[in-house]
Amino acid sequence: MLGRSNQRDSGELVVLSLLAEGPKYGYLLTKQAAALSQGQLRLTPGVLYPLLKALEQQRLVTSSWEEVKAEDAAADEPGRRRKWYTITKSGVQRLEQRVDAHRLAQRFIDRILSVRDGQFGGVRADQPGATGSGEVHA
Amino acid sequence: MKATTAPRLRDARVDTFLDAAVRGKGRTALECREELSQHVFERSRELMIGGRSEAEAIRVALEEFGDVAELRRRFDQVRWVKVRRRIMQISAVGVCAAVIGLAAMTFQPGCNSTERSMAKAGVAPSDSEPRTQFSADGERVASTQSAEVPQSATGLTSTDWKSTAPVLVAKKGNTFVVDRITNTPRGTVIQLKEVPQAEADAKLGDGAALPVLPDLPLIGWFVKPKESSALPYEGPPSEAPKGKSGVEPASDQARRIELALSAARKAAERRVELSALSRKLNARSAALQTDAQKYSQLTRELGASEDSYVHARLQLSLQAEALEKQAEALDKAAKELKLQREARASEAGSSKQKPAP
């Protein structure tokens, strides 16, 4: 279940989550991912752009071009172009599925870790970020 | 943004990198190059604002992409999925078109390969549908219903043609005479004319015609002669001049006609076989299309339920774990109860053993 597909799903989850807030271009996505994760998550361009292309192909996102001109550029000088990505309705649905699956997987892993720590009755009280499930505790 | 903090729009290293990373020269590839180039531009500009030199900023921006071969492989992988999907679509359309075309060629009256080959052999179609006229080189010229030609061609021997003229034949109440015999570069053209029964009787009475054979089938040749081709002879075969004047002797014509009849029979048989084969192919194609649709539907459902499956599996695991915990808790509670009972029993025993003060 884990492995290469999980990595791909994680990247897809991050990109779709960021795009759910509004249209973004590739470089902005890398910047925001790094900022939100306090530098821990690096969405490298070598992974990001093929992923965006695949998402566009699956019609989970759409794209549009915007011409960007430098401040000191002449009026007739051709500017560079940015490709903006916008999430689609299908993309939102896919994002919801990914979020659900991710949360369940996270809880599942937390349980396994709690078993590893010998806490059969629940997670350790001092464990940061540990989530209880509301099941019966002895 | 100041111009001093912006990298150049073109850089040889960036171009080299883009050439290595993106395959192809199409619109999609060009857009991809432009997008990556814009990323390098923005990243290097940010690094230059941070105090790096232009060369170093571009180098770092390019290094952040990682292995360029891996990047190219990822792009190719995405492109291959698209290409594969397109190939499947084109294949499906092609198969449908081929099946429809084959069916149309097989079942269209008066316009199939069998009839064309018969026309090239100098033989008209042998069924009772409206006729299609062909030129001597097999091209269809026009359709006509002027003569109802009896079905299948057997029994017409060379003797029939050598004996007399006009040849009179009849079948199922229709009576025909040979109206015109024409030699063309591609073969002899025999045109029939339907005549009233009385006229046919009169000709029979003259003794100049073959007897009417009720079962004598006849193949008519409705090939339009070429305008440019010389028509050295028009008339009944008995009056045809012999020798090297451009007109074949009647016996040769008859042999050619026999060959044509034989070819027509084979062609008719082949046509029946092809029709049967076409029907089988149509049925098989329909079955394959149905299977393909089912397969596509299953694939879609499978893809859609992948996440649901993961979801359900995780939920089941969590439920199983919760049940295990409940069982452990009950075990623990039972042990505690047992200990409490033992403690009470020991307390009760010790109080009994103690003598009363």
Side-chain angles (χ1 to χ4, degrees):
Chain A
M1 189 176 77
L2 298 176
R4 195 182 187 86
S5 65
N6 194 51
Q7 290 174 6
R8 186 196 61 199
D9 293 349
S10 301
E12 192 176 294
L13 174 64
V14 170
V15 170
L16 289 177
S17 298
L18 292 172
L19 286 177
E21 297 169 5
K24 290 177 181 59
Y25 54 92
Y27 185 63
L28 188 57
L29 284 169
T30 60
K31 296 281 288 178
Q32 286 198 348
L36 289 172
S37 66
Q38 297 177 338
Q40 296 300 309
L41 179 66
R42 290 191 64 220
L43 202 56
T44 62
V47 172
L48 174 66
Y49 287 102
L51 177 61
L52 284 171
K53 201 171 175 61
L55 292 177
E56 192 178 9
Q57 214 172 73
Q58 296 172 50
R59 296 177 184 172
L60 300 176
V61 299
T62 57
S63 64
S64 59
W65 288 91
E66 178 212 26
E67 191 164 348
V68 187
K69 280 200 172 183
E71 290 176 3
D72 55 350
D76 55 345
E77 185 181 337
R80 301 178 73 87
R81 292 200 305 165
R82 269 189 196 137
K83 194 174 185 181
W84 287 79
Y85 292 93
T86 308
I87 193 167
T88 63
K89 200 173 177 181
S90 308
V92 173
Q93 289 174 354
R94 174 69 70 86
L95 174 62
E96 287 168 359
Q97 290 174 355
R98 290 273 178 257
V99 168
D100 286 346
H102 172 74
R103 286 189 175 145
L104 280 166
Q106 195 176 20
R107 287 175 63 185
F108 187 52
I109 291 169
D110 284 345
R111 298 281 165 186
I112 293 172
L113 292 179
S114 69
V115 171
R116 176 180 165 271
D117 293 339
Q119 301 292 317
F120 284 94
V123 294
R124 282 201 315 245
D126 57 348
Q127 189 176 348
T131 54
S133 63
E135 282 89 12
V136 177
H137 291 259
Chain B
M1 191 59 60
K2 290 179 182 177
T4 52
T5 57
R8 285 171 296 173
L9 289 178
R10 298 297 301 268
D11 187 277
R13 284 171 299 173
V14 178
D15 286 342
T16 308
F17 166 77
L18 293 175
D19 288 341
V22 183
R23 193 195 299 267
K25 300 285 180 190
R27 186 179 61 85
T28 311
L30 289 177
E31 285 184 356
C32 194
R33 286 173 66 100
E34 189 174 359
E35 189 180 18
L36 296 182
S37 167
Q38 174 65 16
H39 181 99
V40 173
F41 177 83
E42 290 189 90
R43 178 63 179 146
S44 52
R45 186 179 62 180
E46 188 182 272
L47 291 168
M48 286 169 71
I49 291 171
R52 304 224 187 180
S53 67
E54 182 184 342
E56 192 179 356
I58 291 176
R59 181 184 60 77
V60 172
L62 292 177
E63 279 178 0
E64 284 178 352
F65 275 88
D67 184 14
V68 69
E70 177 66 16
L71 177 61
R72 182 178 181 139
R73 193 191 61 76
R74 287 189 180 129
F75 275 129
D76 285 348
Q77 203 171 11
V78 174
R79 193 172 68 160
W80 171 240
V81 171
K82 187 179 178 182
V83 169
R84 193 170 51 185
R85 194 175 299 163
R86 188 163 295 174
I87 286 172
M88 287 179 67
Q89 288 172 349
I90 291 172
S91 303
V93 171
V95 168
C96 290
V99 169
I100 290 169
L102 186 61
M105 283 176 63
T106 306
F107 295 112
Q108 185 181 357
C111 184
N112 58 42
S113 57
T114 308
E115 279 193 10
R116 284 176 186 275
S117 62
M118 289 169 71
K120 283 185 176 181
V123 180
S126 61
D127 55 18
S128 59
E129 294 170 350
R131 292 293 172 271
T132 303
Q133 280 195 336
F134 294 87
S135 65
D137 55 358
E139 289 297 319
R140 185 167 63 171
V141 176
S143 294
T144 177
Q145 299 183 50
S146 60
E148 290 295 324
V149 181
Q151 205 167 11
S152 80
T154 56
L156 195 62
T157 65
S158 58
T159 310
D160 298 330
W161 293 98
K162 273 194 291 189
S163 58
T164 182
V167 177
L168 186 65
V169 291
K171 185 177 180 183
K172 294 180 182 175
N174 294 321
T175 310
F176 302 90
V177 295
V178 174
D179 183 46
R180 173 181 291 184
I181 296 178
T182 310
N183 284 327
T184 69
R186 300 296 299 266
T188 301
V189 178
I190 302 174
Q191 289 181 312
L192 302 180
K193 185 175 74 175
E194 187 169 6
V195 296
Q197 190 63 42
E199 186 180 336
D201 292 341
K203 288 181 183 297
L204 284 173
D206 293 341
L210 285 174
V212 175
L213 303 174
D215 295 325
L216 175 67
L218 179 71
I219 278 288
W221 286 261
F222 295 94
V223 182
K224 183 181 179 183
K226 282 184 178 177
E227 291 178 2
S228 58
S229 64
L231 302 177
Y233 173 69
E234 291 183 2
S238 61
E239 297 173 15
K242 296 186 179 181
K244 299 180 180 178
S245 61
V247 179
E248 290 179 291
S251 58
D252 292 345
Q253 289 181 10
R255 276 195 293 275
R256 289 164 58 91
I257 289 166
E258 280 183 21
L259 289 173
L261 293 177
S262 172
R265 279 194 296 274
K266 286 179 183 172
E269 289 168 3
R270 182 69 183 148
R271 183 182 179 188
V272 171
E273 287 173 8
L274 282 175
S275 297
L277 186 63
S278 172
R279 278 194 292 275
K280 281 182 187 174
L281 279 174
N282 283 339
R284 181 67 182 150
S285 169
L288 281 174
Q289 278 186 340
T290 309
D291 288 349
Q293 283 172 356
K294 283 181 187 172
Y295 177 74
S296 311
Q297 179 68 21
L298 282 173
T299 309
R300 277 198 298 274
E301 287 174 1
L302 198 63
S305 63
E306 186 185 8
D307 291 325
S308 321
Y309 169 72
V310 173
H311 188 94
R313 191 174 167 186
L314 289 171
Q315 277 187 333
L316 284 173
S317 303
L318 288 173
Q319 285 174 2
E321 192 186 344
L323 288 172
E324 281 180 8
K325 280 178 187 169
Q326 283 182 356
E328 285 173 5
L330 288 172
D331 282 347
K332 197 172 179 180
K335 282 177 186 173
E336 283 179 0
L337 280 173
K338 192 177 176 184
L339 287 172
Q340 285 175 4
R341 280 179 194 162
E342 285 173 359
R344 282 178 195 160
S346 63
E347 280 178 9
S350 61
S351 62
K352 280 181 184 176
Q353 288 174 0
K354 279 183 182 176

